[in-house]
Amino acid sequence: LSRSLALSLSFSISFSLTHFIEGVAAAAVAAMRTMRMRIKPVRCVALCGAGYGRRLGVRCFFVNGTTNGRSLNYSSHDALMESMKSLKGDPLETTGSRIVTYRGNPEAKIMVIGEAPGAEEDRQGKPFVGKSGQLLDNILGSVGFEEDDVYITNIVKRRPPNNRTPLKWEILAYKPWIAEEIRLIDPYIIMLVGRTSAQTVLRSICSPDARLPISQIRGKWYEHEGKWMIPVFHPSYLLRNPQKTPGSPKALTWQDIKGVRSKMDEIL
C-alpha cells in the first residue's frame, strides 16, 4: 500500500511539475509576442516627417553629427583632426592600419567623400593618393577644380583588410566622425564617391534611394539643409572600365563632373 501511495504521489508531483513548466513557457512565449508587437524599429520619423519615415521604412544612421545617441562636437576642424589622429578602440585599430584623415582645403565648399583608404592611403595617411586618387584629381581638374578647391575624406578612417568593402558595423563606428566633418566643413556640394559613400550618406537624410545601386543614382542631385549631394562612380571602378564610349562609366562621370561645375557656378 505504501509503495502504491508513493508511486501515486510521485506521478502526481511529476504531472503537476510538467504542467507548471508548460504554463511558464506558454506565458513567456505570449510575453515575447506582445513585446514584438509593441516594440518597433526606431526610424527617423521626427527628422524626416512621420508619414515620410513610415512610408519609406529607411533607417537613419546619422543626422547632424549624431548616431545611435552618440555625437561629436568640436570647436574647430583642427581639434577634430587632433582627436581623430589619436583614435583608439575603433573596429579597425587591430589591423595595424593608420588613421587616414583628409587632404585639400578645410575652407573649401566642395566636399568629396569616398569609402575607405587603400594601401597607398594607409602609407601616407591621406585619402585618394593612389591610382584612384590620381584619376580623381584628373576628373576634378577637367572642369577647373584644384586641390585647394575641395576637401577630400572617407567614411571609414582606416584601411579594411585586403581592401575589402567596410562592414556595416565598421561604418556605424566611424559615422560620428564623418558627420562632424560635414558639420564643420559646411560645404555647398558633397560628391559621394562610390556605392558605400552614397548609400551611407543618403541613409542619413532618409532617402529611399539609399537602397539603390550606384548605377541608378549616379548623377542625381539630392538637397538637404542647404547642401547639394551627388553620387558618382568611384575612380577605381573607372580604372577597371576604361572605355570612353557613349554611356560608359567614364562618359557618364564626365557628365556628372560637368554637372558639379555648373551647380557650383550656379550657387556662387
Side-chain angles (χ1 to χ4, degrees):
L1 179 63
S2 59
R3 184 178 178 182
S4 299
L5 180 60
L7 289 172
S8 177
L9 287 173
S10 175
F11 175 78
S12 178
I13 291 171
S14 298
F15 183 78
S16 299
L17 183 60
T18 300
H19 272 264
F20 174 76
I21 293 172
E22 289 177 349
V24 170
V29 170
M32 290 174 66
R33 286 175 178 169
T34 302
M35 289 176 66
R36 281 200 295 267
M37 290 174 63
R38 291 178 179 175
I39 300 175
K40 296 181 179 179
V42 177
R43 304 184 189 277
C44 64
V45 173
L47 294 169
C48 301
Y52 191 61
R54 291 194 187 98
R55 184 174 71 253
L56 300 180
V58 178
R59 297 190 184 191
C60 290
F61 282 170
F62 69 88
V63 177
N64 297 329
T66 65
T67 177
N68 295 338
R70 180 188 175 196
S71 65
L72 300 177
N73 190 2
Y74 287 87
S75 58
S76 67
H77 180 264
D78 287 342
L80 173 66
M81 290 299 108
E82 200 64 33
S83 182
M84 187 185 294
K85 289 175 183 177
S86 60
L87 185 61
K88 300 292 182 184
D90 52 298
L92 292 173
E93 181 190 11
T94 56
T95 65
S97 58
R98 68 189 296 180
I99 289 289
V100 175
T101 55
Y102 79 100
R103 71 178 174 96
N105 181 9
E107 301 296 324
K109 291 305 176 183
I110 298 177
M111 190 172 189
V112 179
I113 303 178
E115 176 182 290
E120 191 60 28
E121 289 77 16
D122 181 39
R123 190 179 71 81
Q124 295 189 35
K126 295 181 179 181
F128 284 100
V129 291
K131 291 184 178 180
S132 292
Q134 294 170 14
L135 180 54
L136 175 64
D137 288 346
N138 291 338
I139 292 170
L140 294 167
S142 67
V143 291
F145 293 133
E146 299 178 354
E147 184 170 346
D148 195 54
D149 297 319
V150 296
Y151 177 94
I152 303 174
T153 187
N154 281 310
I155 296 287
V156 171
K157 303 306 179 184
R158 294 187 197 264
R159 179 193 180 193
N162 301 315
N163 288 347
R164 62 160 170 74
T165 300
L167 304 177
K168 186 175 180 179
W169 69 279
E170 292 169 344
I171 295 172
L172 282 169
Y174 293 106
K175 276 202 178 89
W177 298 93
I178 185 64
E180 184 66 356
E181 278 185 279
I182 293 173
R183 186 186 72 84
L184 290 170
I185 300 303
D186 193 24
Y188 295 152
I189 293 175
I190 302 176
M191 292 177 59
L192 305 174
V193 182
R195 176 176 59 90
T196 298
S197 173
Q199 291 181 345
T200 299
V201 176
L202 290 181
R203 282 191 180 102
S204 78
I205 63 171
C206 301
S207 171
D209 289 359
R211 301 182 184 276
L212 299 177
I214 186 68
S215 59
Q216 293 184 28
I217 57 177
R218 54 127 296 270
K220 183 176 179 180
W221 286 100
Y222 301 84
E223 191 275 334
H224 182 71
E225 296 184 350
K227 296 175 177 58
W228 288 93
M229 292 162 277
I230 181 172
V232 298
F233 287 126
H234 198 284
S236 62
Y237 178 70
L238 301 180
L239 289 172
R240 297 193 300 271
N241 296 272
Q243 304 84 4
K244 297 182 180 179
T245 53
S248 67
K250 274 198 169 183
L252 295 174
T253 300
W254 171 237
Q255 294 177 17
D256 297 343
I257 195 62
K258 287 192 295 182
V260 172
R261 175 81 264 181
S262 298
K263 179 66 73 174
M264 194 63 183
D265 292 343
E266 175 187 318
I267 293 172
L268 296 178

